[in-house]
Amino acid sequence: MLKSKTFVKKTRSGGVMKIVREHYLRDDIWCGSEACSGCKQESTVLQTDACMESSLCSYPHYLVPDTNVVLHQIDVLEDPVIRNVIILQTVLQEVRHRSAPVYKRLKDVLHEKEKHFYTFTNEHHRETFIDREPGESANDRNDRAIRVAAKWYSQHLKTFECDKDGLKVVLLTNDQGNKQKAEESGLLVYKCEEYIKSLIANPELVDRLALSNDDKNEIGSSKVLFPEHLPLSRIQAGIKCGSFLQGTFRASRDNYLEATVFVQGEGDDSTEVLLQGLQNLNRAVHQDVVAVQLLPRSQWVAPSSVVLQDEGAAKDDDVEEEEEEKALRISAAEAARKPTGKVVGIIKRNWRPFCGMLNVSQIKESTRHLFTPADRRVPRIRIETRQASTLAGHRIMVAIDGWPKDSRYPNGHFVRSLGSAGEKDTEQEVLLLEHDVPHQAFSQAVLSFLPKMPWAITPEDMVRREDLRHLSVCSVDPPGCTDIDDALHCRELENGNLEVGVHIADVSHFIRPSNALDKEAASRGTTVYLCGKRIDMVPELLSSNLCSLRSNVERFAFSCIWEMNHKAEVLKTRFTKSAINSKASLTYAEAQMRIDDTNMNDEITKSLRGLNKLAKTLKRQRIDKGALTLSSLEVRFHMDSETHDPIDLQTKELMETNSMVEEFMLLANISVAQKIYDEFSECALLRKHPAPPPSNYDILLKAAKSKDVEIHTDSAKALADSLDGAKVDGFPYFNTLLRILATRCMMQAVYFCSGMDSDFHHYGLASPIYTHFTSPIRRYADIIVHRLLAVAIGADSTYPDLMDKHKQSALCNNLNYRHKMSQYAQRASVAFHTQLFFKSRGILNEEGYVLFVRKNAIIVLIPKFGLEGTVFFDTKGKTVPNLVFDEEGPTLSVEQHIFCIFDKVKVTITLDDSNVQHQKIRMSLIEPVITGVSVPAPDAEPQAKKLKLDN
Amino acid sequence: MNSVAALCLNIPDIKRCIQTEEDRTVTVRTLLLLSLWSCRSSSPGGAFGYVHSAADTWGVALAVRLPFIRSLRKNMAGLELLSDQGYRLDGRKAAELRKVQARMGVFAQADGSAYLEQGNTKALAVVYGPHEIRGSRSRALHDRAVINCQYSMATFSTAERKRRPHGDRKSTEMSLHLKQTFEAAVMTQLYPRSQIDIYVKILQSDGGNYSVCVNAATLAVIDAGIPMRDYVCACTVGFVDETPLADLCYAEESGGVSSLALALLPRGGQIALLQMDARLHQDHLEALIEAAMTACKGVSKVLDEVVRQHLQEVSSLTGE
């Protein structure tokens, strides 16, 4: 069975080294086809009736793509239509070398059962292995290996096929030479384009084809528009000797001819290099890693304040552009000039598929169109499609294939359509994609790690768990919550003390370290809540069923149990894995009613009352220590149950029970943080909230001063106290506004690994140590904390990654990133629904407060909707009123009127949908009346509009 | 032979001797079984007493090597050691050994000699003795033979030609391991006040040097006609993607695998030496040792065949 074959390889690592490796050839590698009677395989992957309806191949066939086809056309291969494909080991290895993302995608496809993709280990098969011939390049050898394997397959199938219905093998290659040689040896071979075009049922697949090299030359004029990029070796040499700088390219949002390159220096110092003009930008795309060369000091410029959008038509209109570029170069004051440079080469492209819309070409028959991405920082992309008419008005995804130096725009190809613009599902998809929220359905590999249903607790499970099923535990959550991760109980002990338990869903029992399920959850990092939709971190079976601590079912929990006296002092803390049976899942309102209703005296209500009493004490203690109560308006949409359109908008109400649950969650988090830090001082996952630098408070101090209120910001405690004391007579909303402003001054709280940092303090909560333990269903950080705690109490075993502080730290970075992105996505979703709401409401007149004053605008907050909007005073095409901005106040005087922070104004709200991709809420001033600026109050006509919608 | 039974170490015993660190991973470093004689003389304190953790004596030296192993792991991250189809870099499946070829009696002058190839790792073993103690007589033991092992690598054994002076730390360590392995296997008590020399040279190195040396030396000892309790067969195993890989080649060894070397007396299943320099989670240790034992038994079959064939050849030559 083992055939020894030694071959010699030369590699370059420092010098030339001869590497000798053994290479065994086997004759027990099977072909994987269902139709084969010769192979002794246990399971087959490739089907007998491998039918893809193609006008070129009318018989059932298997596809064998070569490396370049896989690398460039992975979008096509991923399509469900393409099935029964043989991926040769040669191809797989080459793909692995050349592109990690494509390799990952290919692997995912290989794992998908419905796709019937089979990996054939041809390099170790006795009959398909070939030696490199003298003078043959590695690439040629691989091409030959692919041909030999394809040949072997077609002969093998001919010999061993049981019912002779003519199964054939089709080689796909885009290489002309390879194709010719394959034809000579009698193989069926097609170019990828030829084959895809021949697929009868799926014309839209053609658009997904990436442009191959020879097609690219046809596009664009022969005129060279951009300077050549330097080869990587010269870039590296340049960076080493300091003549080039390496950095991340960041395009400007407002001006397509301007960008900055962020150069990370040693330690904390980093510089920004300004780039201006298409030539200097030299085909870099937002987020690429580029090498820049600084221009001589005499050519340095200042960033322009002009807003420029690339509106040029599809033809390369350079005359106009040159003028625009000239407009940029208005000589700026010497002081305002910044280091300016030009891009000399691209170190790493960071292209991803972009969302956006198609600008249909004016020429009717044209198949080339420009695509405008939703992200303004990304240039427009030229794509080829025949379905432009159907795609117009749709949100689509496009991937960039390349940017030749003679083309004004990068060339790309259509990936998929997300649906028509403005529709809720489409827009949701867009905002998920743009915020990099992984939201695909869970893969089979992930789902395979779910427990088998029906699931029940077995006696073995109970060996290491405490049985707390008899306790009257209950959960309190917002209405409609299905992923309940916490439950509480409180009871009086015989010694008069109280026993309080916080029970958290034991997610780490179901998600074992380093399996596919765990990796997926780690990469998602958090569950994302959008209006009317939830993107789960773990599959629904866990999030809404097995882990969710629903009432009257037995569930596993991780319990944190304290013994407290009536003054809410913790006497004893213990942690245990347990099994609980929640007696009730209540909403905040229901829980509040039970507490308030003096007639109810059952176990749960008593327990709730006990908890509520303790929580009040805890909260007081916490505030005494200097914890901040900040405010931000959160809005809640009332959704129509059928259309899921927002009907009403309401700011969230807070009840006593909200803070009751919160107090105990905080207490649990702090207790756990202390415990895991004591046990694992190097690798505990904690959460910190740094104190903001004093300059952050400037705006708050100025604003408060304008109302003669003094705010102290020396410490969290001082801030909390002075916020409590800040009141203005006749202005009850003042305190809330002040707290909203204070919230904006804060820093972002972050996860970190205790071994990598020394400052653990949580500023907002005034706690020396903090972590997240209480929501493992929706946050991955909590799962790690659960695992650490489980090890600390001896309930579980560790694994190497858990104890590696560098890996932990990398994980924290991902979690922080996902967390931030999910918040942005959430905000974007709220903004979109607000737009929908105002679309259905028509024009509204509302009262609001000035929150910020800017040079040319004021930002107005409307408390009723928690909506923030900008009132501009310098709209295009209107005479600009006399504006004087005073930074000290800050105040803005418009003609005669002076706006200060906290001023009450009246505005009218409309939806501006002149730009389909970027709809926004527009506000204009009604009161105070300033001639030439304010508008007369239009009639609010909500009902009429709504009727129209219903039709 | 009662003591052989006492020597039999089972896995729980080994586990007890292994230090578990704070993060529940184990670093076995080296566990050596002292020769039979010292077993007998040591207090019968259960299996625990028979095991001497070399970490005490060698801990310092080995600890220095750990960062080196880690840095290798980073560099070689590029290789996929086990494909989804279950094939390794060189086309073997996880539990398959490399091709083993061996010849006995390759030199006429020595008392015993053998040449053994395990894939691309090739070793020559030569045995002299038992003979009188050479040099200082004080080294002689009154009740058994002294085993003297010397390990060396040929200058041309690796990809880059390198002078390898005698007595560098690595080869001294390896010599000591070999010595202790053979003290456990050779019936030294039959030759009191005498000495047995075992010289092993690696001619070409491609991973698993220790195991190839042990296997070659076993054949050489048999060729010399020195009685042993059993063949000593050694094999390395690595741990990748939750799967133990038998008989690692160099690319795999340097690819960041936690590898474990084990020498076994296959018939009784006694472990003569167990060594692991990397860190491994304790839950996996048992599976790894199990796989190593299976691999060693595979090696022993091949060795047995070689010995029988050699015997046949020799006997046909002498006309018996």
Side-chain angles (χ1 to χ4, degrees), chain B residues 115-181:
Chain B
Y115 168 77
L116 186 128
E117 284 180 10
Q118 210 160 326
N120 274 333
T121 307
K122 296 166 187 178
L124 199 58
V126 177
V127 171
Y128 292 92
H131 52 71
E132 265 179 41
I133 296 273
R134 305 250 161 87
S136 141
R137 295 208 158 253
S138 59
R139 286 196 304 132
L141 299 170
H142 67 95
D143 54 354
R144 62 193 160 112
V146 171
I147 292 190
N148 171 36
C149 280
Q150 231 173 63
Y151 163 89
S152 60
M153 275 176 95
T155 48
F156 49 81
S157 62
T158 47
E160 274 175 335
R161 198 187 132 85
K162 197 172 152 194
R163 259 192 59 76
R164 291 168 198 281
H166 268 288
D168 65 339
R169 211 199 64 237
K170 225 167 97 189
S171 61
T172 319
E173 182 193 328
M174 189 73 97
S175 304
L176 190 86
H177 288 172
L178 285 174
K179 176 181 151 102
Q180 281 165 322
T181 312

Coordinates of all heavy atoms in Angstrom, one line a residue, chain B residues 115-181:
Chain B
Y115 N 21.8 -1.6 10.7 CA 21.6 -0.4 9.9 C 20.0 -0.3 9.8 O 19.4 -1.3 9.4 CB 22.2 -0.4 8.6 CG 21.8 0.7 7.6 CD1 22.3 2.0 7.8 CD2 20.9 0.4 6.6 CE1 21.8 3.0 6.9 CE2 20.5 1.4 5.7 CZ 21.0 2.7 5.9 OH 20.6 3.7 5.0
L116 N 19.5 0.9 10.1 CA 18.0 1.0 10.1 C 17.6 2.3 9.4 O 18.1 3.3 9.7 CB 17.4 0.8 11.5 CG 15.9 0.8 11.6 CD1 15.5 -0.4 12.4 CD2 15.3 2.1 12.2
E117 N 16.6 2.2 8.5 CA 16.0 3.4 7.9 C 14.6 3.5 8.3 O 13.9 2.5 8.3 CB 16.0 3.2 6.4 CG 17.4 3.4 5.7 CD 17.2 3.3 4.2 OE1 16.1 3.2 3.7 OE2 18.3 3.2 3.5
Q118 N 14.2 4.6 8.7 CA 12.8 4.9 8.9 C 12.5 6.1 8.1 O 12.8 7.2 8.5 CB 12.6 5.1 10.4 CG 11.2 4.7 10.9 CD 11.2 4.5 12.4 OE1 12.2 4.1 13.0 NE2 10.1 4.8 13.0
G119 N 11.9 5.8 6.9 CA 11.8 6.9 5.9 C 13.1 7.4 5.6 O 14.0 6.7 5.2
N120 N 13.3 8.7 5.7 CA 14.6 9.3 5.4 C 15.6 9.5 6.6 O 16.6 10.1 6.5 CB 14.4 10.7 4.8 CG 14.1 10.6 3.3 OD1 14.6 9.7 2.7 ND2 13.4 11.5 2.8
T121 N 15.1 9.0 7.7 CA 16.1 9.0 8.9 C 16.8 7.7 8.9 O 16.2 6.6 8.9 CB 15.3 9.2 10.2 OG1 14.5 10.3 10.1 CG2 16.2 9.3 11.3
K122 N 18.1 7.8 8.8 CA 18.9 6.5 8.7 C 20.0 6.5 9.8 O 20.6 7.5 10.1 CB 19.6 6.5 7.4 CG 18.6 6.5 6.2 CD 19.2 6.8 4.9 CE 18.0 6.9 3.9 NZ 18.4 7.2 2.6
A123 N 20.1 5.4 10.5 CA 21.0 5.3 11.6 C 21.8 4.0 11.5 O 21.3 3.0 11.0 CB 20.2 5.3 12.9
L124 N 23.0 4.1 12.1 CA 23.9 2.9 12.2 C 24.1 2.7 13.6 O 24.5 3.6 14.3 CB 25.2 3.3 11.4 CG 26.1 2.2 11.0 CD1 25.3 1.2 10.1 CD2 27.3 2.8 10.2
A125 N 24.0 1.4 14.1 CA 24.2 1.1 15.5 C 25.3 0.0 15.6 O 25.2 -0.9 14.8 CB 23.0 0.7 16.2
V126 N 26.2 0.2 16.5 CA 27.3 -0.8 16.6 C 27.4 -1.1 18.1 O 27.3 -0.2 19.0 CB 28.6 -0.2 16.1 CG1 29.7 -1.2 16.4 CG2 28.5 0.1 14.7
V127 N 27.5 -2.4 18.4 CA 27.6 -2.8 19.8 C 28.9 -3.6 20.0 O 29.3 -4.5 19.2 CB 26.4 -3.7 20.2 CG1 26.6 -4.3 21.6 CG2 25.2 -2.9 20.2
Y128 N 29.6 -3.2 21.1 CA 30.8 -4.0 21.5 C 30.5 -4.5 22.9 O 30.0 -3.8 23.7 CB 32.1 -3.1 21.6 CG 32.5 -2.6 20.3 CD1 32.1 -1.4 19.7 CD2 33.4 -3.3 19.5 CE1 32.5 -0.9 18.5 CE2 33.9 -2.9 18.3 CZ 33.4 -1.7 17.8 OH 33.9 -1.2 16.6
G129 N 30.9 -5.8 23.1 CA 30.8 -6.3 24.5 C 29.8 -7.4 24.5 O 29.3 -7.9 23.5
P130 N 29.5 -7.9 25.7 CA 30.1 -7.4 27.0 C 31.6 -7.8 27.1 O 32.0 -8.8 26.6 CB 29.3 -8.2 28.0 CG 28.6 -9.3 27.3 CD 28.6 -9.0 25.9
H131 N 32.3 -6.8 27.6 CA 33.8 -7.0 27.8 C 34.2 -6.4 29.1 O 33.4 -5.8 29.8 CB 34.6 -6.4 26.6 CG 34.2 -5.0 26.3 ND1 34.6 -4.0 27.2 CD2 33.6 -4.4 25.3 CE1 34.2 -2.8 26.7 NE2 33.5 -3.0 25.5
E132 N 35.5 -6.5 29.4 CA 36.0 -6.0 30.7 C 35.8 -4.5 30.7 O 35.8 -3.8 29.7 CB 37.5 -6.2 30.7 CG 37.8 -7.5 31.5 CD 39.3 -7.7 31.5 OE1 40.0 -6.7 31.7 OE2 39.7 -8.8 31.3
I133 N 35.7 -4.0 31.9 CA 35.6 -2.5 32.0 C 36.9 -1.9 31.5 O 38.0 -2.3 31.8 CB 35.4 -2.1 33.5 CG1 34.1 -2.7 34.1 CG2 35.5 -0.6 33.7 CD1 32.9 -1.8 33.9
R134 N 36.7 -0.9 30.6 CA 37.8 -0.1 30.1 C 38.0 1.1 30.9 O 37.0 1.7 31.4 CB 37.6 0.3 28.6 CG 37.3 -0.9 27.7 CD 38.5 -1.2 26.8 NE 38.3 -2.5 26.2 CZ 37.6 -2.8 25.2 NH1 37.0 -1.9 24.5 NH2 37.6 -4.1 24.7
G135 N 39.2 1.6 31.1 CA 39.4 2.8 31.8 C 39.3 2.5 33.3 O 39.7 1.5 33.8
S136 N 38.8 3.5 34.0 CA 38.7 3.4 35.5 C 37.9 2.2 35.9 O 36.7 2.1 35.5 CB 38.2 4.7 36.0 OG 37.3 4.4 37.1
R137 N 38.5 1.4 36.7 CA 37.8 0.2 37.2 C 36.7 0.5 38.2 O 35.9 -0.4 38.5 CB 38.8 -0.8 37.8 CG 39.8 -1.3 36.7 CD 40.3 -2.7 37.0 NE 40.8 -3.3 35.9 CZ 40.2 -4.3 35.2 NH1 39.0 -4.8 35.7 NH2 40.7 -4.9 34.2
S138 N 36.8 1.6 38.7 CA 35.9 2.0 39.8 C 34.4 2.1 39.3 O 33.5 2.0 40.0 CB 36.3 3.3 40.5 OG 36.3 4.3 39.5
R139 N 34.3 2.2 37.9 CA 33.0 2.3 37.4 C 32.2 1.0 37.4 O 31.0 0.9 37.2 CB 33.0 2.9 35.9 CG 33.4 4.3 35.9 CD 33.1 4.9 34.5 NE 33.8 4.1 33.5 CZ 33.2 3.7 32.4 NH1 31.9 3.9 32.2 NH2 33.9 3.0 31.5
A140 N 33.0 -0.1 37.5 CA 32.4 -1.4 37.4 C 31.4 -1.6 38.5 O 31.5 -1.2 39.7 CB 33.5 -2.5 37.6
L141 N 30.3 -2.3 38.2 CA 29.3 -2.7 39.1 C 29.4 -4.1 39.4 O 29.6 -4.9 38.5 CB 27.9 -2.4 38.6 CG 27.7 -0.9 38.2 CD1 26.4 -0.7 37.4 CD2 27.7 0.0 39.5
H142 N 29.3 -4.5 40.7 CA 29.6 -5.8 41.1 C 28.5 -6.8 40.7 O 28.7 -8.0 40.6 CB 29.8 -5.9 42.6 CG 28.6 -5.7 43.4 ND1 27.8 -6.7 43.8 CD2 28.0 -4.5 43.8 CE1 26.7 -6.2 44.4 NE2 26.8 -4.8 44.4
D143 N 27.3 -6.3 40.4 CA 26.3 -7.3 40.2 C 25.7 -7.2 38.8 O 24.8 -7.9 38.4 CB 25.1 -7.0 41.2 CG 24.7 -5.6 41.2 OD1 25.3 -4.8 40.5 OD2 23.7 -5.3 41.9
R144 N 26.1 -6.3 37.9 CA 25.6 -6.2 36.6 C 26.5 -5.4 35.7 O 27.5 -4.8 36.2 CB 24.2 -5.4 36.6 CG 24.3 -4.0 37.1 CD 23.0 -3.5 37.4 NE 23.1 -2.4 38.3 CZ 22.8 -1.1 38.0 NH1 22.4 -0.8 36.8 NH2 23.0 -0.1 38.9
A145 N 26.2 -5.4 34.4 CA 27.1 -4.8 33.4 C 26.8 -3.3 33.3 O 25.6 -2.8 33.6 CB 26.9 -5.4 32.1
V146 N 27.8 -2.5 33.0 CA 27.6 -1.1 32.8 C 27.3 -0.9 31.3 O 27.9 -1.5 30.4 CB 28.9 -0.3 33.1 CG1 28.8 1.1 32.6 CG2 29.2 -0.4 34.5
I147 N 26.3 -0.1 31.0 CA 26.0 0.2 29.6 C 26.5 1.5 29.3 O 26.2 2.5 30.0 CB 24.5 0.0 29.3 CG1 24.1 -1.4 29.4 CG2 24.1 0.6 27.9 CD1 22.7 -1.8 29.0
N148 N 27.3 1.6 28.2 CA 27.8 2.9 27.8 C 27.3 3.2 26.4 O 27.4 2.4 25.5 CB 29.4 2.7 27.8 CG 30.0 3.9 27.2 OD1 29.6 5.0 27.4 ND2 31.1 3.6 26.4
C149 N 26.6 4.3 26.3 CA 26.0 4.7 25.0 C 26.6 5.9 24.5 O 27.0 6.9 25.2 CB 24.5 5.0 25.2 SG 23.5 3.5 25.2
Q150 N 26.8 6.0 23.2 CA 27.3 7.2 22.6 C 26.5 7.5 21.3 O 26.4 6.7 20.4 CB 28.8 7.1 22.3 CG 29.5 8.3 22.8 CD 31.0 8.1 22.7 OE1 31.5 8.0 21.6 NE2 31.7 8.0 23.8
Y151 N 26.0 8.7 21.3 CA 25.1 9.1 20.2 C 25.8 10.2 19.4 O 26.4 11.1 20.0 CB 23.8 9.6 20.7 CG 23.0 10.4 19.7 CD1 22.0 9.8 18.9 CD2 23.1 11.8 19.6 CE1 21.3 10.5 18.0 CE2 22.4 12.5 18.7 CZ 21.4 11.9 17.9 OH 20.7 12.6 17.1
S152 N 25.8 10.1 18.1 CA 26.4 11.2 17.3 C 25.7 11.4 16.0 O 25.0 10.5 15.6 CB 27.9 11.0 17.1 OG 28.0 9.8 16.3
M153 N 25.8 12.5 15.4 CA 25.2 12.8 14.1 C 26.3 13.0 13.1 O 27.2 13.8 13.4 CB 24.3 14.0 14.2 CG 22.9 13.7 14.8 SD 22.0 15.2 14.9 CE 21.1 15.2 13.4
A154 N 26.2 12.5 11.9 CA 27.1 12.7 10.9 C 27.1 14.2 10.4 O 26.0 14.8 10.5 CB 26.9 11.8 9.7
T155 N 28.2 14.7 10.0 CA 28.2 16.1 9.6 C 27.3 16.3 8.4 O 26.8 17.4 8.2 CB 29.6 16.5 9.2 OG1 30.1 15.5 8.3 CG2 30.5 16.7 10.4
F156 N 27.1 15.3 7.6 CA 26.3 15.4 6.4 C 24.9 14.9 6.6 O 24.2 14.7 5.7 CB 27.0 14.5 5.3 CG 27.3 13.1 5.8 CD1 26.3 12.2 5.8 CD2 28.6 12.8 6.2 CE1 26.6 10.9 6.3 CE2 28.9 11.5 6.6 CZ 27.9 10.6 6.7
S157 N 24.5 14.8 7.9 CA 23.2 14.2 8.1 C 22.0 15.2 7.9 O 20.9 14.8 7.8 CB 23.1 13.7 9.5 OG 23.2 14.7 10.4
T158 N 22.3 16.5 7.9 CA 21.2 17.4 7.8 C 21.3 18.2 6.5 O 22.3 18.1 5.7 CB 21.2 18.4 8.9 OG1 22.5 18.9 9.1 CG2 20.7 17.8 10.2
A159 N 20.4 19.1 6.2 CA 20.4 19.8 4.9 C 21.6 20.7 4.8 O 22.2 20.8 3.7 CB 19.1 20.7 4.9
E160 N 22.1 21.3 5.9 CA 23.3 22.1 5.8 C 24.4 21.3 6.5 O 24.2 20.8 7.7 CB 23.0 23.4 6.6 CG 22.4 24.4 5.7 CD 22.1 25.7 6.5 OE1 21.9 25.6 7.7 OE2 22.0 26.8 5.8
R161 N 25.5 21.2 5.9 CA 26.6 20.5 6.5 C 27.1 21.3 7.7 O 27.3 22.5 7.7 CB 27.8 20.3 5.5 CG 28.8 19.3 5.8 CD 29.9 19.3 4.9 NE 31.2 19.3 5.6 CZ 31.7 18.2 6.0 NH1 31.2 17.0 5.7 NH2 32.9 18.2 6.7
K162 N 27.3 20.6 8.8 CA 27.6 21.3 10.0 C 28.6 20.4 10.8 O 28.3 19.2 11.0 CB 26.3 21.5 10.8 CG 26.4 22.5 11.9 CD 24.9 22.7 12.3 CE 24.9 23.1 13.8 NZ 23.5 23.0 14.3
R163 N 29.6 21.0 11.4 CA 30.5 20.2 12.3 C 29.8 20.0 13.6 O 29.2 20.9 14.1 CB 31.8 20.9 12.5 CG 32.9 20.4 11.7 CD 34.2 21.0 12.1 NE 34.5 20.6 13.5 CZ 34.9 19.4 13.9 NH1 35.1 18.5 13.1 NH2 35.2 19.2 15.2
R164 N 29.7 18.7 14.0 CA 29.1 18.4 15.2 C 30.1 17.9 16.2 O 30.4 16.7 16.1 CB 27.9 17.4 15.0 CG 26.8 18.1 14.2 CD 25.8 17.0 13.7 NE 25.1 17.6 12.6 CZ 24.1 18.5 12.9 NH1 23.7 18.8 14.1 NH2 23.4 19.0 11.8
P165 N 30.6 18.7 17.1 CA 31.6 18.2 18.1 C 31.0 17.2 19.0 O 29.8 17.2 19.3 CB 32.0 19.5 18.8 CG 30.8 20.4 18.7 CD 30.2 20.1 17.4
H166 N 31.8 16.3 19.5 CA 31.3 15.3 20.5 C 31.0 16.0 21.8 O 31.6 17.0 22.1 CB 32.4 14.3 20.7 CG 32.2 13.1 19.8 ND1 31.2 12.2 20.0 CD2 32.9 12.7 18.7 CE1 31.3 11.3 19.0 NE2 32.3 11.6 18.2
G167 N 30.0 15.5 22.4 CA 29.8 15.9 23.8 C 29.0 17.3 23.8 O 29.1 17.9 24.8
D168 N 28.4 17.7 22.8 CA 27.5 18.8 22.9 C 26.3 18.4 23.7 O 26.0 17.2 23.9 CB 27.2 19.5 21.6 CG 26.3 18.6 20.7 OD1 26.3 17.4 21.0 OD2 25.6 19.0 19.8
R169 N 25.5 19.4 24.2 CA 24.5 19.2 25.2 C 23.4 18.2 24.6 O 23.0 17.3 25.3 CB 23.9 20.4 25.6 CG 23.4 20.4 27.0 CD 22.3 21.4 27.3 NE 21.2 21.2 26.4 CZ 20.7 22.1 25.6 NH1 21.3 23.3 25.5 NH2 19.6 21.8 24.9
K170 N 23.1 18.4 23.3 CA 22.0 17.6 22.8 C 22.4 16.2 22.7 O 21.6 15.3 23.0 CB 21.7 18.2 21.4 CG 20.2 18.3 21.1 CD 20.0 19.1 19.9 CE 19.7 18.2 18.7 NZ 19.6 19.0 17.4
S171 N 23.6 15.9 22.2 CA 24.0 14.5 22.0 C 24.3 13.8 23.4 O 24.0 12.7 23.5 CB 25.2 14.4 21.1 OG 26.3 15.0 21.6
T172 N 24.8 14.6 24.3 CA 25.0 14.0 25.7 C 23.6 13.6 26.3 O 23.5 12.5 26.8 CB 25.6 15.1 26.6 OG1 26.6 15.8 25.9 CG2 26.1 14.4 27.9
E173 N 22.7 14.5 26.1 CA 21.3 14.2 26.6 C 20.8 12.9 25.9 O 20.2 12.0 26.5 CB 20.4 15.4 26.3 CG 19.0 15.2 26.8 CD 18.1 16.3 26.2 OE1 18.6 17.4 26.0 OE2 16.9 16.0 26.0
M174 N 20.9 12.9 24.6 CA 20.4 11.8 23.8 C 21.1 10.5 24.3 O 20.5 9.4 24.5 CB 20.6 12.0 22.3 CG 20.0 11.0 21.4 SD 18.2 11.3 21.4 CE 18.1 12.2 19.9
S175 N 22.5 10.6 24.5 CA 23.2 9.4 24.9 C 22.7 8.9 26.3 O 22.5 7.7 26.5 CB 24.7 9.7 25.1 OG 25.2 10.2 23.9
L176 N 22.4 9.8 27.1 CA 21.9 9.4 28.4 C 20.5 8.7 28.3 O 20.2 7.7 28.9 CB 21.7 10.7 29.3 CG 21.4 10.3 30.8 CD1 22.7 10.0 31.5 CD2 20.7 11.4 31.5
H177 N 19.6 9.3 27.5 CA 18.3 8.7 27.3 C 18.5 7.2 26.7 O 17.8 6.3 27.2 CB 17.5 9.5 26.3 CG 17.0 10.8 26.9 ND1 16.4 11.7 26.2 CD2 17.1 11.2 28.1 CE1 16.1 12.8 26.9 NE2 16.5 12.5 28.2
L178 N 19.4 7.1 25.8 CA 19.6 5.8 25.2 C 20.1 4.8 26.3 O 19.6 3.7 26.4 CB 20.6 5.8 24.0 CG 20.1 6.4 22.7 CD1 21.3 6.6 21.8 CD2 19.0 5.6 22.1
K179 N 21.1 5.3 27.0 CA 21.6 4.4 28.1 C 20.5 4.0 29.0 O 20.4 2.8 29.3 CB 22.7 5.3 28.8 CG 23.3 4.6 30.0 CD 24.3 5.6 30.7 CE 24.4 5.3 32.2 NZ 25.6 4.6 32.5
Q180 N 19.7 4.9 29.4 CA 18.7 4.5 30.4 C 17.6 3.6 29.8 O 17.1 2.7 30.4 CB 18.0 5.8 31.0 CG 19.0 6.3 32.0 CD 18.7 7.7 32.5 OE1 18.3 8.5 31.6 NE2 18.8 8.0 33.7
T181 N 17.3 3.8 28.5 CA 16.4 2.9 27.8 C 16.9 1.5 27.8 O 16.2 0.5 28.1 CB 16.2 3.4 26.3 OG1 15.9 4.7 26.3 CG2 15.1 2.6 25.7

